[in-house]
DNA sequence: GCTGATTGGGAAAGCGCATTCCCACTGCAT
DNA sequence: ATGCAGTGGGAATGCGCTTTCCCAATCAGC
């Protein structure tokens, strides 16, 4: 038994397909009460479900929102995805998910697939990169996105504008003040941290990471500190772990070198106060913390550490992680809404979404009292 | 500029749409080399992207896989989603995501939406429930799923069969041996835990939760322990937290009552050894642990605790959580594959996926040495 | 009671593609 | 030279729906 069609419903109700269509799927013209009733009854006696593909073809709009993330299992993206999902629901649309591991080539492919499905809008989360090896991929991605926009699509971008995008009206970026927030974080930290700062960053060229690094350095400079050394590794937990391992070795070395003095200074003498680590995201921070711990170092005793994002699942981590809270769900919602609003032709200035802001959240991992 | 169509490409290449279709989208008939080349050039000079909706309409298959989860931000579901995503990619399909908070009514709606989009298969993760208030919703959900199956759809179910499903060939359940694993966990725990066991479960009627509770009790019984008391609360972190708060109070009371004796016994005398808490999933366990900690209790000193799932993001939690490792990604993959295989008409017995198994993983949170 | 405006329903033309059917042509064997 | 299978391309149909256009019937206004 194949799914029943509008025509069957119409026949059963004794009306034309046109009329059936008008009553079942909101049309401007409302058929008479009696007829409408007949059609409706016929419809659910047959268990009629409209074929969205056909509807889409006819109306040329699909009710689909494409979402591109690096990794849906990463809580950062999962939170954004939840927001997107909610916004989609408001618009009575469904979301098509693509995970790309951040590879521009895959992202391009995803965009093409979304375009093929005539997604009404697409939301692209996850940092763009400007790494040389991604250059070509980025260009293709931008071209694909541009084409999508020129064909009437709208894309909501989380964070940074897409590199090389030229289609004017199609892009709607939700700006996340990564740099400012990182600067503020640095400012607050300098108040309590006496030792040197070290930054664990993602690969160079990853915008989100670069912004946060830059902001943090700026904050340090403003506070009269010298710039932090920057360790680069993968933008995930294991990246953080690796960097953490390197730092652990260094901390231990420093301690050994200076261990001649009395035991009053906890992290060696020689002017080397306890270092403060800033990892550009929470997941990396957790990885780094795990590495330190595995090397017998304790936080905040032997080193302090701060992250970024304030991932909900990680809030129960101990010592509680100092970080910058970002309204991830809201970010996802806004990206989705802004793209949709433009899609609907509503004036973008009207009901513009409030700018994203974050909140410095100092917790145990950077306490210096102990 | 609207997206270009097959017809335009054909015209530019000087061939008929039929031929263009044959060369651009794999058909049984392969046009000649020269013509194929002409068409392909025309296609990408126009930036042609096939309209998947139209293709779907014509072929009546959409290349879509519907995925239903309770909450994509829950790491459990996120991990499954990742597996589904991977399997979808193998099949060159895209996944449509729906989050339903576990409400059968929403799930029914999601199924209908998937059916409307003619999803080739749908994967439904997240525990079904048999709670009385969900009864009606469940029936409707089952009806909707049945209808979807009768219309040729295939559904992959994670965990428990859908209640009330009658369509024979359409369902493919990936069985997770929750009960057995919980029993094994109990068995292993009884070896080291001397005190009473307490179970923090989800709402009664949630299959996953019920299975784990039942299995755990069975394991206890087998080891000659008396059944654990079962505390019920929400199947998420805050549920665990609440229950944890209640337990904390109880532990403190017990300790106060028996605090007359010498300080050698850590958790009061009076025969009340330190209790062992089994939370039916990791997230709840973390919540409970947080509650205990907030009440000044320490794990495993004042109480031990174990979870279930071995959520990756939670592995860095300290004390490390004893739990049961479940191959969540693999579960997602299998659910997706089994539904797809049936869809493709491949013999299901052939290349049948290996049964899911878990692994008891004891860590610090249940250590009794300290 | 007649005209013009309005309403309410149906017929039909696509939306973009796959696919079946048909036809012209080639190459081979007879 | 003639017939045949085989090959490669095009015409046409239909997937299920929306929407424009058209037409009959109703209503108001004079």
């Amino acid at each position: 038994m194949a799914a029943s069609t509008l025509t069957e419903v119409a026949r059963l109700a004794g009306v034309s397909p046109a009329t059936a269509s008008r009553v079942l799927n909101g049309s401007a013209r409302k058929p008479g009460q009696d007829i409408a009733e007949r059609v409706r009854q016929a419809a659910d006696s047959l268990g009629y479900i409209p074929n969205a593909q056909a509807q889409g073809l006819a109306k040329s709009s699909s009710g689909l929102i494409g979402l591109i993330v690096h990794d849906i299992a990463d809580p950062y993206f999962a939170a954004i995805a939840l927001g997107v999902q909610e916004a989609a629901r408001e618009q009575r649309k469904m979301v098509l998910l693509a995970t790309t591991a951040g590879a521009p080539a895959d992202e391009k492919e995803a965009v093409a697939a979304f375009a093929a499905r005539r997604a009404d809008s697409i939301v692209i989360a996850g940092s763009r990169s400007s790494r040389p090896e991604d250059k070509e991929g980025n260009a293709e991605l931008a071209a694909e996105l541009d084409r999508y926009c020129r064909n009437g699509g709208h894309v909501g971008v989380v964070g940074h504008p897409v590199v090389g995008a030229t289609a004017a009206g199609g892009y709607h970026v939700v700006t996340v003040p990564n740099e400012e927030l990182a600067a503020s974080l640095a400012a607050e930290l300098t108040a309590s941290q006496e030792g040197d700062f070290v930054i664990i960053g993602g690969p160079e060229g990853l915008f989100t990471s670069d912004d946060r690094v830059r902001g943090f350095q700026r904050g340090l400079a403003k506070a009269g500190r010298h710039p932090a050394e920057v360790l680069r590794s993968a933008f995930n937990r294991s990246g953080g772990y690796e960097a953490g391992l390197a730092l652990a070795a260094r901390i231990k070395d420093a301690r050994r070198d200076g261990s001649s003095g009395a035991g009053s200074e906890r992290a060696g003498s020689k002017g080397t106060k306890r270092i403060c680590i800033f990892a550009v995201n929470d997941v990396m921070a957790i990885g780094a913390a795990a590495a330190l711990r595995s090397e017998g170092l304790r936080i905040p005793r032997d080193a302090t550490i701060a992250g970024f994002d304030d991932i909900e699942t990680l809030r129960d981590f101990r010592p509680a992680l100092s970080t910058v809270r970002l309204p991830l769900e809201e970010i996802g919602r806004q990206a989705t809404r802004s793209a949709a609003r433009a899609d609907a032709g509503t004036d973008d200035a009207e009901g513009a979404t409030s700018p994203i802001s974050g909140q410095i959240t100092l917790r145990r991992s950077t306490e210096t009292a102990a």
Side-chain angles (χ1 to χ4, degrees), chain A:
Chain A
M1 153 192 171
S4 48
T5 73
L6 222 211
T7 314
E8 290 171 22
V9 173
R11 188 166 13 185
L12 181 62
V15 300
S16 79
T19 306
S21 170
R22 291 196 261 256
V23 18
L24 293 179
N25 316 66
S27 156
R29 285 178 54 174
K30 293 285 169 203
Q33 280 295 328
D34 44 346
I35 285 222
E37 195 49 37
R38 271 222 314 280
V39 171
R40 244 178 297 260
Q41 283 193 5
D44 54 57
S45 92
L46 286 180
Y48 170 71
I49 295 185
N51 184 326
Q53 311 222 59
Q55 290 190 150
L57 225 209
K59 296 199 282 209
S60 63
S61 110
S62 59
L64 255 28
I65 294 178
L67 170 62
I68 297 183
V69 298
H70 290 186
D71 174 9
I72 191 64
D74 179 325
Y76 171 83
F77 290 109
I80 291 182
L82 190 59
V84 171
Q85 190 82 281
E86 283 175 19
R89 196 156 184 163
E90 289 168 6
Q91 306 170 31
R92 329 213 85 251
K93 298 191 176 174
M94 304 216 68
V95 359
L96 267 172
L97 182 62
T99 70
T100 61
D106 288 351
E107 300 187 328
K108 175 202 165 229
E109 208 173 314
V111 172
F114 290 156
R117 300 228 142 67
R118 297 301 185 264
D120 297 334
S121 53
I122 109 177
V123 173
I124 177 162
S127 185
R128 305 307 74 235
S129 119
S130 66
R131 277 182 292 174
E133 68 264 40
D134 285 342
K135 183 136 188 242
E136 192 184 355
N138 273 325
E140 288 183 22
L141 170 60
E144 197 71 48
L145 278 170
D146 274 0
R147 176 171 7 169
Y148 173 73
C149 288
R150 277 197 308 274
N151 287 346
H154 288 270
V155 357
V157 191
V158 170
H160 255 277
V162 177
V163 206
T166 64
Y171 297 94
H172 309 272
V173 359
V174 174
T175 306
V176 180
N178 283 309
E179 192 171 338
E180 290 70 14
L181 289 169
S184 307
L185 175 62
E188 300 234 4
L189 287 176
T190 52
S192 61
Q193 313 292 320
E194 301 181 353
D196 282 344
F197 286 87
V198 179
I199 299 178
I200 300 183
E204 188 148 21
L206 210 62
F207 281 128
T208 307
S209 171
D210 288 353
D211 286 352
R212 293 177 182 176
V213 169
R214 192 179 322 116
F216 198 84
Q217 300 280 36
R218 208 184 64 203
L220 290 182
K222 201 161 179 181
R225 300 299 193 92
H226 40 262
E229 177 186 1
V230 182
L231 266 44
R232 306 263 177 201
S233 56
F235 200 61
N236 53 30
R237 195 242 177 219
S238 31
Y241 191 86
E242 274 177 35
L245 243 31
L247 280 176
R250 193 180 308 186
I251 293 171
K252 285 172 156 181
D253 282 354
R255 179 189 294 178
R256 198 178 316 115
D257 292 349
S259 61
S260 49
S264 76
E265 271 299 299
R266 38 198 166 281
S269 45
K270 223 182 146 186
T272 357
K273 318 256 186 194
R274 165 174 49 176
I275 66 170
C276 176
I277 304 169
F278 167 55
V280 293
N281 69 42
D282 278 2
V283 187
M284 293 181 82
I286 295 296
L292 293 195
R293 191 165 41 216
S294 78
E295 292 297 306
L297 265 23
R298 301 217 7 213
I299 295 169
R301 194 193 61 191
D302 301 314
T304 59
I305 188 166
F308 207 109
D309 289 342
D310 198 22
I311 298 297
E312 184 149 356
T313 325
L314 265 23
R315 300 227 178 113
D316 286 315
F317 182 81
R318 284 301 174 273
L321 194 62
S322 291
T323 186
V324 178
R325 173 170 307 182
L326 241 34
L328 296 173
E329 274 186 50
E330 177 63 19
I331 289 174
R333 259 193 305 262
Q334 286 203 14
T336 311
R337 290 209 193 107
S338 60
R341 204 177 9 260
D343 184 39
T346 314
D347 191 346
D348 209 26
E350 210 68 60
T353 46
S354 54
I356 296 298
S357 64
Q359 189 179 348
I360 313 298
T361 308
L362 297 185
R363 301 205 182 99
R364 188 84 212 297
S365 71
T366 53
E367 271 177 21
T368 49

